[in-house]
């Protein structure tokens, strides 16, 4: 799970179970939403930072849900 500045850049995706971080050859990290594979409402590569998302599911259930 991303932390610090990287988490701030990703927004909600940073704490979502559907996020997959994809390292590139240029030391960049791309954020892939795995929900996009089965649901066309979601972008494969979300525009970051994501502030609200109906598909959000917290990695840590104790962290609550901020989606909507
Ligand atoms: S479901 Fe929403 S919050 Fe979760 S990874 Fe995809 S775009 Fe980000």
């Amino acid at each position: 799970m991303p932390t610090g500045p990287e988490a701030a850049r990703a927004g909600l995706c940073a704490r979502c179970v559907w996020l997959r971080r994809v390292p590139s050859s240029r030391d960049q990290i791309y954020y892939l939403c795995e929900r996009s594979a089965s649901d066309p409402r979601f972008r494969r590569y979300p525009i970051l930072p994501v502030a609200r998302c109906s598909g959000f599911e917290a990695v840590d259930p104790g962290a609550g849900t901020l989606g909507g």
Side-chain angles (χ1 to χ4, degrees), residues 9-68:
R9 186 169 82 85
L12 210 51
C13 295
R15 295 187 293 109
C16 182
V17 296
W18 295 97
L19 175 72
R20 180 154 62 91
R21 295 165 79 249
V22 182
S24 78
S25 57
R26 292 187 170 188
D27 290 339
Q28 280 187 310
I29 304 289
Y30 292 97
Y31 294 85
L32 191 157
C33 173
E34 293 194 318
R35 200 150 204 174
S36 67
S38 57
D39 191 330
R41 292 177 302 163
F42 301 96
R43 288 174 175 261
R44 184 172 171 82
Y45 293 100
I47 297 172
L48 303 178
V50 170
R52 295 180 66 85
C53 179
S54 60
F56 173 75
E57 290 181 45
V59 171
D60 175 6
T65 56
L66 298 176

